[in-house]
Amino acid sequence: KAGVTQTPRYLIKTRGQQVTLSCSPISGHRSVSWYQQTPGQGLQFLFEYFSETQRNKGNFPGRFSGRQFSNSRSEMNVSTLELGDSALYLCASSLRSGPYEQYFGPGTRLTVT
Amino acid sequence: GENVEQHPSTLSVQEGDSAVIKCTYSDSASNYFPWYKQELGKGPQLIIDIRSNVGEKKDQRIAVTLNKTAKHFSLHITETQPEDSAVYFCAASTNTGNQFYFGTGTSLTVIP
């Protein structure tokens, strides 16, 4: 079974721009969560989507948003990028919402200049 | 919200020795505690997990123990091997979904 895939793997953007990251969960998994990983703040929860509905949201500004499609694929969007948004963005998929076992993708490395 | 503390931040052991990583949590409603291993350039990999109705769980060389009263849980790796070298994260979650609160990570180095 294929794992979680994330595209693109690397991205360089300029301050003020917006970016969209994509995540394809493991086949059959209906829950997708997003995390931001930085050396200073560690792994921080952004949001979870289950059956196309946002189930939970972390403590991030409204510039961070996401959505989930009927095939469980998910996208997250960051608008008006700031230098502090530079991070590894990780997507995790789970069979159900729960808590339940989550399996992470390799991440998208976003650099904001 | 939940606060998860993890110690130590770095750990070096000789190959074949045991390694122990400890985490504490603050929210008594937390009931699911996974452990992840992250290698350089990769996403975290789930290695073992435990739920609050269980005190201990073992999978070959890896074990996790949970003390609900003291709100702490630990990862034990026996007979360590160089390939165990990585950053390990603990996490906690409640019944509100898949929102995980992570510890700050432990960088484990196994010296051959």
Side-chain angles (χ1 to χ4, degrees):
Chain A
K1 202 181 248 191
V4 179
T5 58
Q6 292 187 245
T7 56
R9 292 292 313 278
Y10 302 91
L11 207 49
I12 300 175
K13 290 286 188 178
T14 304
R15 249 183 324 176
Q17 288 185 316
Q18 75 163 18
V19 66
T20 299
L21 312 181
S22 181
C23 171
S24 292
I26 294 169
S27 178
H29 284 198
R30 295 168 60 199
S31 168
V32 173
S33 298
W34 289 88
Y35 291 82
Q36 181 195 65
Q37 185 174 30
T38 59
Q41 299 298 317
L43 276 152
Q44 291 188 288
F45 174 80
L46 280 155
F47 28 65
E48 178 198 4
Y49 285 88
F50 178 72
S51 295
E52 301 179 67
T53 302
Q54 187 179 84
R55 174 113 199 239
N56 289 291
K57 190 176 192 311
N59 191 25
F60 278 83
R63 300 184 297 107
F64 292 82
S65 63
R67 59 177 175 168
Q68 186 179 34
F69 302 96
S70 58
N71 61 357
S72 293
R73 192 177 69 85
S74 177
E75 288 181 347
M76 68 162 280
N77 183 275
V78 188
S79 62
T80 321
L81 283 166
E82 300 177 358
L83 295 178
D85 297 334
S86 294
L88 181 67
Y89 289 89
L90 292 158
C91 165
S93 88
S94 183
L95 195 58
R96 57 185 73 121
S97 189
Y100 213 70
E101 292 87 350
Q102 286 192 69
Y103 300 92
F104 282 85
T108 294
R109 172 73 62 187
L110 172 65
T111 302
V112 182
T113 62
Chain B
E2 172 68 281
N3 181 45
V4 178
E5 294 189 359
Q6 182 172 347
H7 300 280
S9 56
T10 60
L11 181 60
S12 289
V13 298
Q14 292 289 332
E15 183 177 356
D17 286 351
S18 295
V20 180
I21 302 170
K22 298 182 179 182
C23 288
T24 61
Y25 61 98
S26 61
D27 190 346
S28 55
S30 288
N31 59 3
Y32 176 66
F33 307 92
W35 286 89
Y36 286 86
K37 173 185 180 183
Q38 187 173 26
E39 295 173 307
L40 208 58
K42 296 184 177 180
Q45 174 196 357
L46 177 66
I47 56 172
I48 197 167
D49 57 8
I50 192 167
R51 294 191 182 268
S52 59
N53 58 347
V54 175
E56 184 174 358
K57 185 175 178 180
K58 207 172 182 180
D59 182 5
Q60 300 182 348
R61 297 185 297 109
I62 294 173
V64 57
T65 58
L66 171 65
N67 183 325
K68 282 190 299 183
T69 304
K71 295 201 193 80
H72 68 71
F73 56 114
S74 301
L75 177 71
H76 305 253
I77 306 174
T78 59
E79 300 170 20
T80 53
Q81 301 166 2
E83 50 266 39
D84 293 330
S85 296
V87 179
Y88 291 80
F89 292 95
C90 62
S93 183
T94 68
N95 264 335
T96 58
N98 285 333
Q99 179 170 0
F100 288 6
Y101 296 88
F102 281 86
T104 48
T106 295
S107 179
L108 173 64
T109 301
V110 179
I111 304 164

